[in-house]
């Protein structure tokens, strides 16, 4: 409610759509404001390239959480989506955390509302809850530990084999972890709208067309796509793979923003976007991540709004599973 209130207030004050002087050099102004306010800009690999280039740190969800945990800046500007900024706030309750567009949500986080998940969890009183970081701060308060795609297998394996587990909210990542660990975690039925739309048939055709290409995939993809993949990993892991692997061509089954870093890291290689079921939809773009732009980043830094705030009890309870994850991931 509080966030909606802030958003409404901002819209009333015209901050979000504030007209910007076309003469303003946005990159210069953002860098000036950042310095003046002792702010740090953290960007995810899925935002547009100009927003990755202006960041102090660009990375995957784990790297961003680790960076947020160690920053000595007074303000964190999170160029990504809402759950990532919430995680930064939980780790840094005394710092101001701002996000260029509060509407930058996540289909996975939205698939697991607090009340419904609490009811679900009550059916499994002897299970512990491992939650994927792509969930609301409220959901994290119902979790024993958080994980990201980079450390999910390690986090799950930190529990004894005999410990029964619930994994939420991504059923695809959950299935992948089950396959890697031989566990039988109970899975919440959520999925990422970007990673679940790939067509395995079209991917197989593309692989036939390009026998010299490797398929690399994020574990949020559905099982049939993962079964075809030469390599599966978080965004950082995929980026590392294309730099270390000898292949010259890759079919990439993850969000389009990653191409920016891949092309920078290996300009001599070819990267082909994995095809979607609907070829007209531009589905490789996460519409939430793409709500961020330089104009909004500038306005956000200038007004220090919209701010991500959370109730104290959510911060207190949410901190426990996040810090557990960070401890195990050192
Ligand atoms: P990672 O960058 O942690 O692999 O996460 C991908 C993602 O979907 C973030 O929303
Ligand atoms: Fe959420 Fe998927 Fe967008 Fe990541 S790519 S923010 S998981 S909807």
């Amino acid at each position: 409610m509080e966030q909606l209130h802030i958003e409404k207030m901002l819209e009333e004050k015209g901050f979000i759509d504030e007209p910007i002087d076309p003469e303003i050099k946005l990159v210069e102004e953002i860098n000036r404001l950042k310095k003046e306010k002792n702010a740090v800009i953290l960007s995810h690999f899925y935002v547009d390239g100009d927003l990755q280039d202006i960041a102090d740190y660009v990375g995957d969800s784990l790297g961003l959480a680790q960076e947020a945990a160690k920053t000595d800046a007074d303000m964190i500007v999170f160029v990504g989506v809402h759950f990532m900024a919430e995680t930064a706030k939980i780790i840094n309750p005394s710092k101001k955390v701002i996000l260029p567009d509060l509407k930058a949500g996540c289909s996975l986080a939205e698939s697991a509302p607090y009340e419904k998940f609490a009811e679900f969890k009550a059916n499994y009183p002897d299970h512990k809850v491992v939650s994927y970081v792509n969930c609301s701060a409220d959901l994290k308060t119902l979790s024993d530990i958080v994980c990201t795609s980079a450390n999910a297998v390690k986090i799950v394996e930190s529990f004894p084999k005999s410990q029964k587990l619930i994994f939420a909210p991504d059923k695809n990542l959950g299935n992948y972890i089950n396959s890697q660990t031989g566990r039988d975690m109970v899975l919440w039925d959520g999925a990422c709208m970007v990673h679940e739309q790939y067509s395995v048939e079209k991917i197989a055709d593309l692989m036939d067309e390009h026998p010299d290409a490797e398929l690399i995939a994020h574990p949020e993809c559905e099982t049939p796509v993962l079964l075809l993949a030469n390599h599966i990993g978080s965004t950082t892991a995929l980026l590392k793979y294309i730099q270390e692997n000898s292949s010259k061509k890759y079919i990439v089954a993850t969000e389009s923003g990653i191409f920016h870093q891949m092309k920078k890291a290996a300009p001599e290689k070819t990267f082909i976007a994995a095809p979607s079921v609907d070829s007209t939809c531009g589905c490789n773009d996460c519409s939430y991540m793409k709500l961020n732009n330089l104009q909004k980043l500038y306005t956000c830094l200038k007004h220090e709004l919209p701010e991500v705030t959370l109730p104290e009890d959510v911060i207190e309870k949410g901190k426990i599973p996040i810090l557990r994850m960070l401890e195990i991931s050192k």
Side-chain angles (χ1 to χ4, degrees):
M1 271 317 271
E2 202 179 347
Q3 295 297 353
L4 286 178
H5 175 72
I6 294 169
E7 197 177 331
K8 197 158 184 306
M9 180 197 82
L10 280 167
E11 271 170 2
E12 276 164 16
K13 293 192 176 185
F15 283 167
I16 284 177
D17 292 324
E18 184 181 73
I20 294 175
D21 177 352
E23 297 299 307
I24 277 187
K25 292 193 171 59
L26 286 172
V27 172
E28 267 174 38
E29 276 304 293
I30 290 166
N31 283 324
R32 184 187 64 76
L33 287 166
K34 189 183 80 172
K35 219 167 160 190
E36 183 185 299
K37 294 171 188 251
N38 189 26
V40 64
I41 299 179
L42 305 181
S43 296
H44 188 266
F45 287 133
Y46 291 166
V47 297
D48 287 337
D50 50 0
L51 296 167
Q52 297 187 35
D53 291 342
I54 205 168
D56 296 290
Y57 177 85
V58 54
D60 69 358
S61 311
L62 178 62
L64 288 164
Q66 287 168 328
E67 209 60 30
K70 68 178 187 219
T71 184
D72 54 10
D74 295 319
M75 194 188 302
I76 298 173
V77 192
F78 219 109
V79 188
V81 290
H82 195 257
F83 75 81
M84 296 176 174
E86 278 187 338
T87 303
K89 180 68 186 173
I90 291 174
I91 301 169
N92 292 287
S94 63
K95 292 191 200 294
K96 190 175 256 189
V97 177
I98 54 178
L99 180 73
D101 192 325
L102 274 185
K103 291 194 251 356
C106 169
S107 64
L108 264 172
E110 280 155 28
S111 77
Y114 178 87
E115 277 83 13
K116 284 207 173 127
F117 185 74
E119 272 173 38
F120 177 79
K121 181 183 165 177
N123 295 324
Y124 303 95
D126 52 351
H127 287 54
K128 292 209 187 284
V129 176
V130 180
S131 68
Y132 186 33
V133 70
N134 299 36
C135 67
S136 67
D138 285 345
L139 204 104
K140 290 183 176 80
T141 67
L142 296 174
S143 311
D144 294 284
I145 195 160
V146 168
C147 73
T148 76
S149 57
N151 60 20
V153 168
K154 187 174 179 187
I155 295 287
V156 165
E157 286 188 330
S158 71
F159 289 94
K161 265 247 149 59
S162 55
Q163 175 60 57
K164 294 177 183 167
L165 299 171
I166 295 174
F167 186 80
D170 187 5
K171 65 176 174 197
N172 294 318
L173 178 60
N175 271 320
Y176 174 68
I177 305 167
N178 276 342
S179 76
Q180 296 301 296
T181 60
R183 306 244 176 180
D184 186 20
M185 299 187 296
V186 175
L187 307 180
W188 178 262
D189 187 15
C192 161
M193 63 184 194
V194 177
H195 290 91
E196 70 173 348
Q197 53 74 36
Y198 292 114
S199 160
V200 71
E201 291 81 9
K202 289 185 189 171
I203 290 177
D205 288 348
L206 199 58
M207 290 171 84
D208 284 345
E209 241 177 82
H210 300 275
D212 52 336
E214 289 205 3
L215 172 66
I216 56 173
H218 194 279
E220 288 174 19
C221 293
E222 291 179 334
T223 304
V225 172
L226 297 182
L227 287 173
L228 289 187
N230 299 91
H231 188 71
I232 297 165
S234 74
T235 48
T236 297
L238 297 181
L239 193 53
K240 189 163 177 268
Y241 185 74
I242 61 102
Q243 293 173 75
E244 292 173 355
N245 175 265
S246 61
S247 178
K248 295 270 174 283
K249 206 187 266 182
Y250 300 89
I251 298 167
V252 182
T254 195
E255 210 270 351
S256 59
I258 194 72
F259 285 81
H260 181 65
Q261 295 296 333
M262 287 184 171
K263 286 177 188 159
K264 264 170 95 171
E268 74 290 0
K269 296 195 175 188
T270 304
F271 304 101
I272 308 169
S276 311
V277 174
D278 173 358
S279 52
T280 61
C281 65
C283 305
N284 282 7
D285 293 343
C286 170
S287 52
Y288 297 111
M289 289 281 183
K290 277 10 184 201
L291 282 174
N292 293 287
N293 60 39
L294 275 183
Q295 284 84 349
K296 288 183 195 170
L297 172 56
Y298 164 71
T299 319
C300 164
L301 251 171
K302 184 173 162 199
H303 297 289
E304 301 181 18
L305 284 167
E307 185 180 357
V308 174
T309 56
L310 287 166
E312 236 170 76
D313 61 322
V314 172
I315 291 182
E316 280 319 304
K317 282 191 213 149
K319 194 180 260 182
I320 300 165
I322 295 173
L323 294 185
R324 264 188 204 138
M325 167 187 81
L326 291 176
E327 188 54 39
I328 291 180
S329 307
K330 267 183 185 162

